[in-house]
Amino acid sequence: MNGVNNLRHHGRVVLVTGAASGIGAAIAERYCVEGAAVALLDADEVKVSQRGMALREQGYKVAWHQADVSDFAQCEIACQALTSELGSVDTLINNAGVSPKHDGQPASIWSMSPEEWNWVVGINLTGSFNLARALSPNMVEQRYGRIVNMSSVAGSAFLPIVAAHYSATKAAIIGFTRHLAGELGPHGINVNALAPGRIETPMVKSVSDEANEAVIAETPLRRLGQPDEVAQAACFLTSNESDFITGQVIDVAGGWLMR
């Protein structure tokens, strides 16, 4: 965590989805370091429990819950349980996402099953709706809230290393973010999105080394990103330093696919 001791999120309660590994785990830890109470939500009960216990052993205030974010009822139950343990959630990081591969390759549109399409849409897009739907009423009542949705550079460009369902959901997240920013802004709620490029996570490692090397060669900073670099961007967008920023999509991609 680079020796961070800035407690700019002290007193905040942050919920992070997809928090058991990768970018989500880095985001959860960054918020802990910055003084927040952090709720970890993930579909993998074992991993989210392990991650939560590890953070708790370090002295951080955390709680965790298993839920499939594509299921609204599960999200409601999880939010109620986490709120009862940590207090009212004022910051939501919609990070949960999937990008399935088949022998390291994305499915072509002519071979993709409807079941796979629905699964990806359910996690990547509907999941973001479900958590925003569950938590926004209280944010509106408090007249304060911060939401960060996880898009991708694939939401605005063709990337052969992902499939159509992933790109479609990440593009939709951009529209979802801008609509929420307009709708919720009058209630004191800022909504922004992050669009990571190739970040060194288990998901990225599921494709060939050659594919990742090709991305590195096309990236001005000539490397993959690190999960904590996305976490830092998330923490900035939910801090007091960004109070007048809403409806924006911030690339965290080292200059890859500059728009």
Side-chain angles (χ1 to χ4, degrees), residues 15-231:
L15 189 151
V16 183
T17 69
S21 62
I23 291 172
I27 291 173
E29 184 174 355
R30 169 66 65 170
Y31 275 107
C32 285
V33 171
E34 294 202 8
V38 181
L40 287 71
L41 190 65
D42 200 278
D44 191 319
E45 185 170 10
V46 173
K47 286 185 179 180
V48 75
S49 298
Q50 291 173 340
R51 180 67 60 180
M53 285 187 288
L55 291 170
R56 186 173 286 177
E57 287 170 0
Q58 296 176 58
Y60 297 124
K61 187 176 181 180
V62 298
W64 56 90
H65 204 284
Q66 184 276 335
D68 175 356
V69 297
S70 70
D71 185 312
F72 182 68
Q74 290 188 39
C75 291
E76 276 199 309
I77 292 169
C79 288
Q80 290 167 3
L82 292 166
T83 296
S84 67
E85 187 165 352
L86 295 178
S88 179
V89 174
D90 52 48
T91 302
L92 167 64
I93 311 298
N94 273 320
N95 167 75
V98 291
S99 181
K101 301 292 188 296
H102 303 270
D103 297 322
Q105 297 296 319
S108 58
I109 190 64
W110 59 85
S111 65
M112 183 184 296
S113 69
E115 291 77 16
E116 181 175 302
W117 172 274
N118 290 334
W119 178 55
V120 173
V121 172
I123 300 295
N124 294 7
L125 180 58
T126 305
S128 294
F129 161 78
N130 284 341
L131 270 299
R133 173 62 183 84
L135 295 173
S136 59
N138 191 65
M139 292 181 182
V140 169
E141 182 178 346
Q142 293 183 333
R143 297 198 61 78
Y144 178 88
R146 297 290 182 267
I147 299 174
V148 174
N149 298 316
M150 201 62 68
S151 182
S152 165
V153 292
S156 57
F158 169 66
L159 299 183
I161 52 181
V162 299
H165 43 32
Y166 184 83
S167 292
T169 57
K170 295 305 181 179
I173 284 292
I174 294 173
F176 179 65
T177 296
R178 288 176 173 154
H179 180 89
L180 288 191
E183 182 177 336
L184 297 177
H187 301 281
I189 302 167
N190 294 39
V191 187
N192 292 288
L194 292 176
R198 298 301 280 173
I199 308 299
E200 200 166 359
T201 65
M203 183 185 294
V204 165
K205 293 176 182 177
S206 69
V207 303
S208 67
D209 290 340
E210 291 78 10
N212 285 323
E213 288 297 331
V215 171
I216 291 170
E218 296 172 354
T219 301
L221 294 184
R222 294 296 190 271
R223 64 176 177 85
L224 299 178
Q226 295 302 310
D228 190 53
E229 292 175 310
V230 183

